[in-house]
Amino acid sequence: MTDNVQMTPENLPVCSGGSAAMGSAGITKSLGAIWTIATYTLREGLRKKTLIGFLILSILVIFGANFLTAFLNQKTVGDAEVDIDVKLIKDICVTTISIFGVLIAIFTSASVVPNEVENRVIYTVLSKPLRRFQYLLGKFLGVQLIVLMNLLLMGALFFVVLYAKQQILPTLLLWSLLLVFFEFLIVSSFTFAVSCASTSSVLPTIAGLFIYIAGNMTEYLRDVANRAGQTTLTVDAWIGRISYWLSNIMPNLADFSLKNQILHLQPNDIPRDVQIPNLIAYSLMFAVSGFVLAYWIFRRREF
Amino acid sequence: MRRYPNLILGMLLVVVWAIAAWQGQRVQQLRDADLFYRWIVAACTQSSLLWELTEQVTNDPTKPKMMDRELFESITGAADKIRAEVPVQEGDLDKTGAVEPKLVRLVKHDKNSREVWNLASGSELASQREEFRQYWRQGRLASAGVQLDVSVMYASESTTVSLANMFLGFRKMAANLIWLEVDKYWHAGMLHRMVPLMNLTVTLDPNFVDAFLIGAWHLAYNATASLPDTPELDKNYYEQYGVYLGRKELYYYQGVDFLKDGIRKNPSDYRLYFDLGYGIYSEKLHDYANAVRYLEYAVRYLKHDKWVPRTLNIAYQRNSQYQEAIDGWKLYLQKFPANPNAQRFIMYNEALLAERDMTQAREKMDAAQTALQTAQQAGTDATTLAAAQANHDAAKREYEAKFDLTHKQWQTVLASQSGADPLALGHLRMLEAQTLADTSRYYEAIAVLSQARIECNEIFNEVSDRIMALKEKAKIPLNASEKMEMQRRAQAERIKSERETREKGQQPAQN
């Protein structure tokens, strides 16, 4: 192991780890390596045809929302103005961003490590004096950067469409996008963990879709737990207990439904400065859990 | 880490996951507090609008007892002890005339939202919050509904699957797509398919205010457009409304229910109050008292557009609250001095106020006239007769002064307009007809009134009633449509009397 910065054929500077005295320069180099891997992952990800396809589809739907509502010419009811077309556009766009955004997050998280295993690039990279932790964190950050870039692009289009309709700046949209990103962070972190155990991206993709659906069904587990005990059957009580514990330890993506409400803000709505920071902390905790699981799995693999 | 990496990583995973689960509990508590807060806002608004919190529930002994009223009183009682005094303003009285609880007065103003939220999420109302959670889970809160949680609609014992969750968080999108179907059926004229879908839309998305507005418009206006007024004999009694309704009238009440449901779920959107007050109560049911109630709420407590105070002032006028209308128009003129009509409406209401005083003076004069005639016929002593005569003369002078004032007011309205003012002309003609009738020139009076109702549609019914009253007094034969109207009224009175007799007969005797 050396302390020198080395260049791989892909211009991937790495720095040594494991030296006894990791001063601030060492930390900086380490962070530099992580960042380099992250940006490399971002560049690679933006070239993927699947993601470009999703992006184009989402753009078409977002712009198409305008035409979908064109025939709704119910502008006034009596003397009260109604804005159904604006509401429809907002809901269509948020739904589109949610659907395509989660697909982008799942496909990216599911493929970023298995593809490198398949292409044998990972052997070259890990043969360098680069810690697996640095590599994995860089990959994980790269995935999040890809998701963020796509969200910002779709959000910008949404912004333009809404501004063209209402001639006011929809600043609440930024909060909505923030919540969408943190919702996807949970899904992508666990999908990433599954991908670290897999040699192809098919299984992690399926797992990612399952994680997303399960995350939305956690509310259902709460309902089951609340309704348990209506019969005297032992199995009913056990189902209730299991549902209760599962609903407490599994991530609940329904908590992020605020992203829809926030676009139709009512004067009596509760203060956002309370809910949003708690949701962000919630997402970060699960993201860290997912990453720790990913590292645990990745660390044991032999390359 | 080098010695026991798996153990350390495993422990780290467990610790971080436990922290995440704990944070999840915090988020869940915030959501529960959010639901509690929304229920408080909805319940306080309903209480302020003088609704019964459990009005949706029928007296079914098999259903569990609803706890809305008890919970509400517990919360307002606790808040009254915690909170410092809240200034009492106009409109802060409940139906018994007592001052509303502090919490209800706080909720009315948006600027207090944070304080109400702090109460709802804080430790002072922790026990009430827990009670709310339990009652809500047990389905024992009638005033709560799908605005709190869509899964409530599946909270009955017979349902085991929360279909709302099957939408994976896209229920608002599902509501939008269903609304597009509603629009399609509307343009195809399929009202019977529209109505169930309208209900489904607002169930899936309780904050879809436009669906409430347009849905109520369809019910009150479009569904009834081709229906005739139902004869009294064909009306049925509806217990939930306490009145007899035909098919057409029932649609109006369904529109009212739809908008009230919207208010329950979106208590801070003025458009629901406006449509309910003006669109249905004023324009369709002609219930101006309720129109005033809802429009007043929208103007006093909610952000609203500038036509809302205008419709409130017109509702005041129609509800004979002329002084309130004058004050309202003056305030409106201060905010919007360029409005071309406000001054005219102020003059209308001043004239109407004078006309009401004149009518009261007329009644007083007629009573004094009757008393004088009675005294004369009974042959009372001279002193009593003189007093009755003096009374009559004073009442007559008062009436004549008020008549002149009213006439002058309407003339002023007419003179202030560049063209003819139908309302002023109509009222002047009514005054002219009154003078003619007082001198027994009934045919001329009827001719003048007939002209008045042609010129001014707004007073058509009032003038028609006066014509029929004059014809009856002068023993002039009624025309065919007048005879039919009298028959309709007689039938309605007879049916009403029969119903009252029947209801009294069905009531148990009280000791």
Side-chain angles (χ1 to χ4, degrees):
Chain A
M1 293 182 200
T2 68
D3 287 334
N4 295 328
V5 171
Q6 297 177 11
M7 299 295 290
T8 64
E10 292 86 15
N11 288 326
L12 186 69
V14 296
C15 54
S16 66
S19 61
M22 276 285 275
S24 58
I27 293 172
T28 309
K29 280 185 188 169
S30 179
L31 289 173
I34 293 168
W35 182 247
T36 305
I37 295 171
T39 50
Y40 165 73
T41 309
L42 172 66
R43 278 198 306 272
E44 285 294 305
L46 291 178
R47 279 186 225 144
K48 281 195 188 304
K49 291 194 180 68
T50 318
L51 300 188
I52 292 171
F54 283 146
L55 198 60
I56 291 172
L57 280 172
S58 64
I59 290 168
L60 287 172
V61 175
I62 289 171
F63 276 119
N66 236 342
F67 301 105
L68 189 67
T69 58
F71 65 91
L72 280 177
N73 52 5
Q74 191 64 50
K75 279 296 178 188
T76 59
V77 175
D79 279 328
E81 285 191 8
V82 295
D83 287 320
I84 288 192
D85 48 352
V86 172
K87 189 220 183 255
L88 254 66
I89 289 172
K90 282 180 181 174
D91 288 342
I92 290 170
C93 289
V94 168
T95 305
T96 304
I97 291 174
S98 296
I99 292 174
F100 288 105
V102 81
L103 287 174
I104 289 170
I106 290 170
F107 275 95
T108 312
S109 316
S111 61
V112 72
V113 170
N115 280 355
E116 294 221 327
V117 171
E118 227 172 281
N119 299 338
R120 312 270 196 270
V121 170
I122 197 167
Y123 300 113
T124 314
V125 175
L126 289 181
S127 66
K128 306 300 174 192
L130 175 74
R131 280 179 163 175
R132 290 197 179 195
F133 175 79
Q134 289 170 309
Y135 171 78
L136 205 64
L137 186 57
K139 285 290 177 192
F140 183 72
L141 284 177
V143 166
Q144 303 316 317
L145 283 174
I146 294 170
V147 173
L148 188 62
M149 287 275 297
N150 280 290
L151 277 181
L152 287 174
L153 190 57
M154 289 191 280
L157 294 166
F158 186 2
F159 202 93
V160 165
V161 166
L162 268 186
Y163 184 75
K165 198 79 188 172
Q166 282 187 301
Q167 278 81 50
I168 55 173
L169 295 174
T171 48
L172 291 172
L173 170 62
L174 296 171
W175 292 113
S176 183
L177 287 177
L178 184 74
L179 288 171
V180 167
F181 173 73
F182 281 100
E183 184 186 359
F184 294 165
L185 184 61
I186 298 176
V187 176
S188 70
S189 65
F190 287 102
T191 309
F192 188 74
V194 174
S195 75
C196 289
S198 179
T199 50
S200 84
S201 57
V202 173
L203 177 64
T205 305
I206 296 169
L209 290 168
F210 173 75
I211 290 164
Y212 180 69
I213 293 170
N216 278 287
M217 300 289 273
T218 307
E219 281 285 292
Y220 167 59
L221 285 173
R222 289 215 170 101
D223 291 339
V224 171
N226 286 321
R227 279 187 228 140
Q230 288 180 6
T231 68
T232 53
L233 296 172
T234 312
V235 67
D236 185 25
W238 273 104
I239 287 173
R241 278 190 211 112
I242 292 168
S243 303
Y244 175 75
W245 283 107
L246 280 176
S247 67
N248 278 319
I249 61 175
M250 280 173 57
N252 185 2
L253 297 182
D255 287 338
F256 291 87
S257 60
L258 183 62
K259 65 179 189 271
N260 289 318
Q261 291 169 33
I262 212 167
L263 290 174
H264 309 286
L265 206 61
Q266 301 269 331
N268 274 124
D269 278 354
I270 76 166
R272 300 297 159 201
D273 58 354
V274 173
Q275 279 185 316
I276 292 178
N278 276 285
L279 282 171
I280 291 174
Y282 178 63
S283 169
L284 287 172
M285 287 296 110
F286 270 113
V288 170
S289 306
F291 179 76
V292 169
L293 183 63
Y295 179 63
W296 193 9
I297 296 168
F298 188 72
R299 179 175 188 286
R300 295 156 65 91
R301 285 186 74 174
E302 290 183 5
F303 292 108
Chain B
M1 181 78 173
R2 287 179 192 235
R3 287 184 73 178
Y4 303 107
N6 289 328
L7 180 63
I8 291 169
L9 278 173
M11 281 174 58
L12 181 63
L13 181 62
V14 167
V15 165
V16 176
W17 203 303
I19 295 171
W22 173 79
Q23 180 63 20
Q25 287 285 315
R26 276 180 57 85
V27 169
Q28 183 58 36
Q29 282 167 9
L30 274 177
R31 284 181 70 190
D32 286 344
D34 182 12
L35 298 180
F36 186 48
Y37 166 80
R38 288 179 193 280
W39 185 85
I40 287 175
V41 170
C44 287
T45 306
Q46 291 172 63
S47 171
S48 184
L49 290 169
L50 312 180
W51 297 357
E52 288 299 325
L53 290 182
T54 53
E55 65 181 300
Q56 296 162 289
V57 181
T58 57
N59 294 325
D60 185 347
T62 62
K63 294 260 193 281
K65 182 175 183 294
M66 293 293 155
M67 298 302 291
D68 299 77
R69 175 51 61 182
E70 285 83 353
L71 181 63
F72 182 70
E73 283 170 2
S74 170
I75 292 167
T76 51
D80 272 356
K81 287 178 194 151
I82 300 161
R83 182 63 174 68
E85 189 48 55
V86 178
V88 180
Q89 295 174 0
E90 193 185 352
D92 285 346
L93 301 176
D94 62 20
K95 56 176 126 183
T96 64
V99 174
E100 286 171 333
K102 287 179 194 169
L103 189 60
V104 175
R105 284 179 272 142
L106 264 183
V107 162
K108 284 179 180 177
H109 303 278
D110 294 343
K111 64 179 192 240
N112 299 324
S113 297
R114 185 169 279 269
E115 188 177 348
V116 177
W117 161 252
N118 289 341
L119 266 175
S121 58
S123 54
E124 298 102 337
L125 294 182
S127 59
Q128 285 84 2
R129 193 164 58 242
E130 184 53 34
E131 276 177 23
F132 162 78
R133 219 173 64 82
Q134 281 177 19
Y135 292 147
W136 170 51
R137 290 284 179 202
Q138 293 164 5
R140 296 175 70 188
L141 291 176
S143 56
V146 293
Q147 77 275 22
L148 300 186
D149 187 348
V150 181
S151 62
V152 166
M153 66 177 163
Y154 298 112
S156 68
E157 290 84 7
S158 58
T159 310
T160 54
V161 175
S162 181
L163 290 180
N165 293 322
M166 299 296 286
F167 285 107
L168 302 175
F170 297 136
R171 59 183 174 86
K172 283 185 189 282
M173 195 59 223
N176 291 338
L177 294 173
I178 291 169
W179 188 256
L180 292 177
E181 287 295 297
V182 170
D183 196 71
K184 191 177 83 177
Y185 288 138
W186 155 237
H187 289 293
M190 296 181 184
L191 286 173
H192 55 285
R193 289 192 184 184
M194 253 171 53
V195 174
L197 289 185
M198 275 164 25
N199 286 317
L200 181 58
T201 304
V202 299
T203 303
L204 284 171
D205 188 356
N207 301 121
F208 196 165
V209 172
D210 295 322
F212 281 111
L213 298 175
I214 296 180
W217 174 64
H218 282 315
L219 285 168
Y221 283 75
N222 301 317
T224 59
S226 56
L227 296 175
D229 290 341
T230 313
E232 274 307 312
L233 209 56
D234 295 339
K235 290 184 181 178
N236 297 312
Y237 184 71
Y238 287 86
E239 192 188 338
Q240 66 265 40
Y241 306 123
V243 288
Y244 284 82
L245 302 170
R247 195 164 147 233
K248 181 178 184 178
E249 294 78 19
L250 183 61
Y251 274 119
Y252 297 154
Y253 278 84
Q254 286 174 347
V256 167
D257 285 345
F258 202 57
L259 283 173
K260 278 187 173 179
D261 194 37
I263 289 174
R264 211 174 269 123
K265 291 163 184 172
N266 304 278
S268 55
D269 197 316
Y270 85 90
R271 294 176 295 167
L272 294 160
Y273 298 81
F274 173 79
D275 266 27
L276 183 55
Y278 173 70
I280 301 186
Y281 275 126
S282 177
E283 296 299 292
K284 287 295 175 185
L285 291 173
H286 308 298
D287 181 349
Y288 302 117
N290 271 320
V292 163
R293 190 188 342 154
Y294 289 100
L295 290 169
E296 259 184 356
Y297 195 95
V299 167
R300 276 195 190 135
Y301 306 118
L302 306 174
K303 284 194 188 113
H304 53 269
D305 283 301
K306 59 182 177 183
W307 53 77
V308 184
R310 294 205 296 259
T311 49
L312 172 60
N313 296 335
I314 289 172
Y316 277 141
Q317 180 182 321
R318 289 175 179 171
N319 200 35
S320 305
Q321 290 175 261
Y322 302 124
Q323 192 55 53
E324 285 88 342
I326 291 166
D327 295 338
W329 280 116
K330 283 182 178 168
L331 190 65
Y332 187 82
L333 210 52
Q334 280 174 14
K335 286 183 191 164
F336 305 102
N339 183 273
N341 298 314
Q343 187 56 42
R344 178 160 58 93
F345 276 100
I346 290 171
M347 293 167 75
Y348 279 165
N349 280 282
E350 283 170 347
L352 286 166
L353 195 57
E355 194 167 311
R356 184 172 66 189
D357 291 343
M358 179 199 79
T359 307
Q360 286 168 355
R362 174 81 194 203
E363 285 166 5
K364 206 169 148 190
M365 183 187 78
D366 288 343
Q369 168 97 8
T370 308
L372 177 63
Q373 284 170 349
T374 308
Q376 283 168 343
Q377 282 163 7
T380 51
D381 58 283
T383 314
T384 312
L385 208 57
Q389 183 68 52
N391 205 23
H392 173 256
D393 291 343
K396 190 174 174 190
R397 278 194 301 275
E398 188 188 346
Y399 166 70
E400 283 167 357
K402 291 208 166 145
F403 183 95
D404 290 339
L405 177 63
T406 306
H407 196 270
K408 196 171 151 190
Q409 295 270 35
W410 284 117
Q411 286 283 12
T412 309
V413 173
L414 202 59
S416 68
Q417 303 300 308
S418 53
D421 188 296
L423 188 67
L425 265 179
H427 279 270
L428 283 168
R429 292 211 192 280
M430 284 204 290
L431 291 173
E432 188 188 341
Q434 183 66 55
T435 310
L436 290 167
D438 285 345
T439 53
S440 301
R441 290 154 72 183
Y442 296 113
Y443 284 98
E444 290 168 66
I446 289 167
V448 167
L449 286 173
S450 298
Q451 183 69 17
R453 70 179 173 182
I454 291 168
E455 286 172 348
C456 181
N457 195 47
E458 199 173 325
I459 55 171
F460 186 94
N461 288 338
E462 189 186 345
V463 171
S464 300
D465 289 346
R466 287 197 186 197
I467 291 174
M468 287 194 290
L470 274 178
K471 283 187 174 179
E472 195 180 359
K473 189 176 176 184
K475 300 203 178 8
I476 296 170
L478 300 173
N479 63 27
S481 60
E482 287 165 350
K483 281 182 187 166
M484 279 179 64
E485 176 61 22
M486 295 300 279
Q487 281 173 1
R488 273 195 293 268
R489 288 184 190 180
Q491 185 190 50
E493 278 302 316
R494 194 183 67 247
I495 291 169
K496 189 178 164 190
S497 170
E498 282 169 7
R499 284 170 185 162
E500 281 169 2
T501 310
R502 203 166 42 239
E503 277 160 20
K504 277 182 192 157
Q506 282 171 357
Q507 280 174 4
Q510 294 187 3
N511 295 324

